[in-house]
Amino acid sequence: MAGIPKFAVFASGSGSNFQAIHDAVKAGKLSGQAVLVVTDKPGAFVEERARIAGVETFAISPSTFSSKELYEKEILQKLVELEVEWIVLAGYMRLIGNVLLEAYPSRIINIHPSLLPSFPGKDAIGKAMVHGVKVTGVTVHYVDAGMDTGPILAQQVVEVVAGDREQTEERIHAVEHELYTKTLQQLWSR
Ligand code: GAR
């Protein structure tokens, strides 16, 4: 691909994946430019991370719009203004609707803390622990209209620490931070 791709990160929470991606760009391990952080949760910690990183944030609450379509149109306007080419979901806990899917065909990527198609949706780590699986993992995939569906780009196995959610979560996050950066780099250097 010609040039350095401009991307936006969408996040709803802490933003540790945004941080890892931003750090990788700064370290020269990922050739992309984070031009925007979009959050559907004004006040989420990812906003603070973005501020420190010097990346513009767009905090927008879906409840202030009468439809998902109007909410996404508002986001799209901002993405177009900043010439965003890729959308990187990093803990964005909301389904992507038609407005963004049609504007960014095969250009929206997600990370999920399980080996999909196992344990889609919220609290994948908790669900895996309750199920008693011995291994879980991380999936990076293209986004479609479904919940954590879409063609898989990369997966990595993580061993569950039996009865210890905290440690299991730490392992998963460590793998996420490496795998997301690596996968995006492969995708963008094609
Ligand atoms: C990550 O574990 C990510 O995989 C998950 O949210 C967490 C966000 O952490 N995403 C999903 O569950 C998507 N269905 P972060 O805010 O620290 O990056």
Side-chain angles (χ1 to χ4, degrees):
M1 179 181 298
I4 293 176
K6 289 185 181 176
F7 63 94
V9 175
F10 285 32
S12 305
S14 146
S16 73
N17 278 284
F18 159 72
Q19 188 73 58
I21 290 166
H22 175 73
D23 291 348
V25 169
K26 287 280 154 213
K29 292 183 189 162
L30 175 61
S31 44
Q33 195 190 345
V35 293
L36 186 69
V37 167
V38 175
T39 183
D40 60 329
K41 297 268 187 249
F45 189 59
V46 69
E47 277 194 78
E48 178 66 4
R49 292 188 194 265
R51 192 188 58 75
I52 293 166
V55 177
E56 184 175 344
T57 54
F58 191 57
I60 178 165
S61 180
S63 62
T64 59
F65 293 83
S66 58
S67 69
K68 188 182 202 90
E69 196 185 339
L70 289 175
Y71 164 70
E72 287 198 341
K73 277 188 174 163
E74 190 79 11
I75 296 175
L76 182 58
Q77 203 177 318
K78 189 75 190 168
L79 298 177
V80 169
E81 190 187 305
L82 295 179
E83 299 179 334
V84 168
E85 299 167 76
W86 290 84
I87 296 175
V88 175
L89 307 185
Y92 181 70
M93 305 310 273
R94 193 166 288 281
L95 283 178
I96 298 293
N98 283 339
V99 170
L100 292 177
L101 286 171
E102 281 164 21
Y104 288 86
S106 299
R107 295 234 166 181
I108 309 178
I109 311 298
N110 184 40
I111 190 158
H112 184 74
S114 77
L115 294 175
L116 291 170
S118 291
F119 311 122
K122 287 185 183 157
D123 195 23
I125 300 172
K127 287 179 195 157
M129 302 287 298
V130 166
H131 210 87
V133 297
K134 306 300 176 212
V135 292
T136 182
V138 173
T139 303
V140 179
H141 65 96
Y142 287 106
V143 171
D144 62 14
M147 169 90 76
D148 299 315
T149 53
I152 290 171
L153 282 158
Q155 286 189 309
Q156 194 168 320
V157 169
V158 175
E159 269 187 48
V160 170
V161 184
D164 194 332
R165 187 195 161 117
E166 208 174 307
Q167 270 200 55
T168 304
E169 201 160 335
E170 262 177 37
R171 285 183 176 188
I172 287 178
H173 280 303
V175 168
E176 284 190 328
H177 299 161
E178 289 285 320
L179 189 68
Y180 216 177
T181 300
K182 210 169 83 182
T183 308
L184 291 173
Q185 177 59 16
Q186 281 166 359
L187 195 62
W188 293 342
S189 57
R190 271 181 195 169

